[in-house]
Amino acid sequence: MPEVTLKSTAIEQASPDNTIAAGHNGGPPLDDRHRPEWGDGGIGNYFYWKAAHRRAWHNLSPGIVAFRIQKAERLGLTYEEYTLEILERGRHLQIEDVERIAEIKQARAARKRG
């Protein structure tokens, strides 16, 4: 049985459908089709933003996460919506923030529809 596998591999490599040129190491293409992780523009502040995102979303203590989940549920929001409000506006929503909570819920409904 191993001989069949070896033969089929040799046939695949020699087939005319295989477009790898002689001397090619089989690595990724080096032409313009490759797009770096930070996009088409310059690298700029990419790694600063990536580190900030990691600190904001992934390196939180379990106590902070539990507090935010509990608070978000009381307000009728998701954890992500509540946390984004803290990160974007710098304040924790309260029960009295009826208008802002309604805006967030309307935006959620609009995202689900379309």
Side-chain angles (χ1 to χ4, degrees):
M1 204 93 41
E3 291 178 354
V4 174
T5 306
L6 292 174
K7 287 180 182 176
S8 66
T9 304
I11 292 170
E12 284 178 9
Q13 290 175 352
S15 73
D17 294 336
N18 194 348
T19 58
I20 296 176
H24 195 286
N25 67 0
L30 298 176
D31 56 9
D32 292 336
R33 288 182 292 175
H34 174 71
R35 186 166 187 244
E37 188 176 345
W38 51 85
D40 294 328
I43 196 165
N45 293 325
Y46 171 77
F47 290 104
Y48 295 117
W49 279 103
K50 188 172 182 176
H53 181 272
R54 194 175 298 118
R55 280 192 311 272
W57 289 101
H58 300 290
N59 293 336
L60 298 173
S61 72
I64 291 174
V65 173
F67 171 79
R68 289 181 183 176
I69 289 171
Q70 185 180 28
K71 185 79 173 193
E73 287 176 350
R74 264 190 277 155
L75 298 174
L77 302 174
T78 65
Y79 170 78
E80 290 81 10
E81 291 168 339
Y82 184 76
T83 302
L84 276 174
E85 189 67 19
I86 295 168
L87 295 174
E88 290 177 352
R89 305 204 192 287
R91 60 185 301 266
H92 295 263
L93 289 172
Q94 305 298 319
I95 295 289
E96 297 82 30
D97 297 320
V98 177
E99 292 177 17
R100 180 63 191 142
I101 294 169
E103 289 174 13
I104 294 170
K105 289 179 180 180
Q106 286 175 350
R108 180 194 323 152
R111 280 191 309 273
K112 284 184 180 180
R113 282 193 303 258

